[in-house]
Amino acid sequence: MRIAVVGAGVVGVSSAYLLARAGHRVTLIDMETEPGKGASAGNAAQLSWAYGDAMASPALLKHLPAILAGRDPAFCIRRRLDPDFLLWGLRFLANMPSRRWWHNTRDILALAEQSRQEMALLLAETAIVFDYRVAGKLHLYPDKASFCAARPTVERKRQIGIDQCMLSRPEAEAVEPALKAYQGEIAGAVYTPDDALGDAAAFCRQLTAVIIKNFGVSVCFGRRVAGFERYRRQLTAVRFADRDPLPVDAAIVTVGPLIRALVADLPEARSIQPVAGYSLTVPWREGAPHVSLTDVKRKLAFAAIGDRLRVAGLADLARPGAGFAADRFAVLRETASAVLPDFFGQAEWQHVWSGERPMTPSSRPIIAQSRKIRGVYVNAGHGMLGWTLALGSARRITDMLA
Ligand SMILES: Cc1cc2nc3c(=O)[nH]c(=O)nc-3n(C[C@H](O)[C@H](O)[C@H](O)COP(=O)(O)OP(=O)(O)OC[C@H]3O[C@@H](n4cnc5c(N)ncnc54)[C@H](O)[C@@H]3O)c2cc1C
């Protein structure tokens, strides 16, 4: 089959890899001049095999009044109500009750497990280098009440085979000695030893090179896809903004949050909204954590990626494509410097970044054939977990096409 994969972020490159490996003739397309420049470029690097927790949750519901009153700096709502956003918000609310949350979370965890297995195969088959490491992860809880509230979820996850345990502060410090210098409150931690991390942008670049060399994948970078041509309801070609159409038998749309620009052809894009986040990367130095950390109170994720230390966080419902907001980045920097001043309080070499998570109301990605055009498949809406879920989603799309 001639297949176009539109979008060369983690989801697109992973899809192109598994489709090409299954024997399809793949063209990988991106409007940027190299892969991994979208939401995959500066994310928190976590391969959160055990943290598929959907964003719409009972805990967030309780916290909603504080968010709406602007009392939680980690969240910010900066956009006007339009019908799509209103509907998305109502569906998000409908996903918050405990039963819905666990249903969504269990589904995401199953996809994460599929990704973990595909990652093991990929690592065995390719020699790509992207600072991959089974770093383990500690979720830090600020007080006894929130720590105790985490126990039922840990127990539920253990029942489905996830290795996770609850540690006191001294036990957590034994796992990660850098916590001794951590300036935030820690009543206890949930530890997941098997969670991994890796540089998603390096993964995109390296895997693209492999699929070009080993599977003859064609790339078409620096070209924006404007829509799809069809005969009756069947896809015939991918349409570009600035070149002739590319005839194909199938197209996989993996354009992340920018899928909304294709809504005329893909009505399912309406249920994906961007949730912006920020990251700051500094050089890793002695005394910085090795284990990945999530500060539950401040909603910050810290990761040691090769010779760098990155902090990522914030969840802003802003206008799509709003871009970098200096005042919001300042919140990330100040919050990170307050807890790890030796690393984020210094004015040394650093990399600042913002990106948009493509979020559905349930946090579950859309992996399905388009309702409108046969032959077009959507693989988008991976929200906070696109890096974690990319290979599992790619496997599902490849199986659908088989
Ligand atoms: C601050 C932050 C931290 C995060 N941390 C993590 C984490 O630790 N772990 C995790 O699993 N996930 C994390 N995520 C989420 C994850 O980064 C995203 O879910 C993931 O990158 C989405 O991948 P994607 O391939 O769908 O989209 P993208 O990476 O955005 O790729 C889409 C590609 O499509 C291209 N494109 C768009 N429109 C067109 C068009 N019309 N024509 C041609 N090309 C087009 C873009 O140029 C881009 O390259 C984080 C996100 C943010 C913002």
Side-chain angles (χ1 to χ4, degrees):
M1 245 184 175
R2 295 166 306 168
I3 302 181
V5 175
V6 186
V10 275
V11 177
V13 175
S14 301
S15 303
Y17 168 62
L18 290 186
L19 287 163
R21 200 161 145 275
H24 297 290
R25 275 170 51 202
V26 176
T27 305
L28 178 62
I29 303 166
D30 202 288
M31 63 187 193
E32 299 286 349
T33 51
E34 64 169 344
K37 297 292 270 187
S40 309
N43 69 20
Q46 306 295 304
L47 291 161
S48 301
W49 313 130
Y51 272 97
D53 302 27
M55 190 177 184
S57 65
L60 193 66
L61 183 59
K62 268 195 216 150
H63 197 53
L64 209 51
I67 295 173
L68 293 174
R71 289 201 308 273
D72 186 337
F75 295 93
C76 171
I77 304 177
R78 272 186 186 170
R79 61 175 290 178
R80 270 194 253 134
L81 270 188
D82 60 49
D84 279 355
F85 182 50
L86 184 62
L87 189 61
W88 184 92
L90 292 173
R91 289 180 59 203
F92 188 82
L93 285 174
N95 275 289
M96 283 177 151
S98 182
R99 268 181 53 169
R100 282 299 320 159
W101 172 77
W102 180 242
H103 171 80
N104 293 332
T105 299
R106 223 178 31 194
D107 253 33
I108 297 167
L109 288 169
L111 185 55
E113 173 55 24
Q114 212 170 351
S115 276
R116 194 177 63 80
Q117 290 172 12
E118 290 294 336
M119 180 62 86
L121 291 173
L122 180 143
L123 291 169
E125 280 177 14
T126 69
I128 65 172
V129 179
F130 55 100
D131 291 320
Y132 172 84
R133 191 163 64 85
V134 181
K137 179 134 110 187
L138 285 161
H139 269 231
L140 310 175
Y141 287 84
D143 50 54
K144 223 172 154 188
S146 60
F147 187 46
C148 291
R151 186 177 294 281
T153 302
V154 171
E155 273 161 15
R156 269 176 155 176
K157 287 186 180 172
R158 285 166 66 99
Q159 278 165 18
I160 57 171
I162 289 172
D163 183 9
Q164 209 166 56
C165 59
M166 301 191 65
L167 305 181
S168 63
R169 179 162 191 163
E171 288 169 334
E173 286 177 1
V175 172
E176 176 48 80
L179 284 181
K180 292 189 180 119
Y182 196 78
Q183 305 290 306
E185 317 81 332
I186 307 175
V190 172
Y191 180 45
T192 316
D194 296 337
D195 270 3
L197 62 76
D199 182 335
F203 173 90
C204 292
R205 289 192 300 271
Q206 296 247 345
L207 192 56
T208 300
V210 166
I211 58 180
I212 293 170
K213 186 162 173 263
N214 296 359
F215 300 109
V217 167
S218 310
V219 293
C220 178
F221 290 157
R223 301 284 186 187
R224 191 171 67 78
V225 167
F228 302 95
E229 302 202 338
R230 69 201 97 152
Y231 177 68
R232 301 207 168 130
R233 280 189 57 222
Q234 181 67 43
L235 170 75
T236 55
V238 171
R239 194 170 66 246
F240 289 88
D242 56 358
R243 59 158 269 183
D244 293 341
L246 176 73
V248 288
D249 304 305
I252 318 298
V253 183
T254 60
V255 296
L258 295 177
I259 195 168
R260 297 186 61 80
L262 298 171
V263 74
D265 282 341
L266 300 173
E268 26 295 87
R270 288 193 196 287
S271 55
I272 297 179
Q273 289 289 340
V275 177
Y278 292 78
S279 73
L280 168 61
T281 311
V282 298
W284 190 93
R285 281 187 286 106
E286 211 42 55
H290 286 277
V291 175
S292 298
L293 305 176
T294 295
D295 184 317
V296 171
K297 180 179 170 193
R298 295 171 181 81
K299 318 274 183 314
L300 294 179
F302 298 93
I305 315 163
D307 59 357
R308 289 148 291 146
L309 177 66
R310 179 171 295 164
V311 59
L314 308 194
D316 294 359
L317 286 166
R319 184 174 50 76
F324 189 87
D327 60 329
R328 293 299 288 152
F329 175 73
V331 171
L332 178 82
R333 182 196 285 277
E334 279 159 26
T335 325
S337 333
V339 288
L340 285 175
D342 286 351
F343 302 97
F344 296 104
Q346 314 284 324
E348 57 192 325
W349 172 88
Q350 50 188 249
H351 180 249
V352 303
W353 177 81
S354 76
E356 292 181 344
R357 306 169 182 92
M359 188 71 77
T360 62
S362 63
S363 297
R364 286 155 53 195
I366 302 171
I367 308 172
Q369 184 160 208
S370 156
R371 294 199 297 268
K372 198 164 166 185
I373 312 175
R374 275 199 308 266
V376 177
Y377 292 78
V378 174
N379 190 0
H382 295 73
M384 309 172 292
L385 290 165
W387 176 211
T388 306
L389 304 179
L391 280 164
S393 310
R395 164 55 56 208
R396 290 194 183 175
I397 280 286
T398 306
D399 291 350
M400 265 177 213
L401 279 148

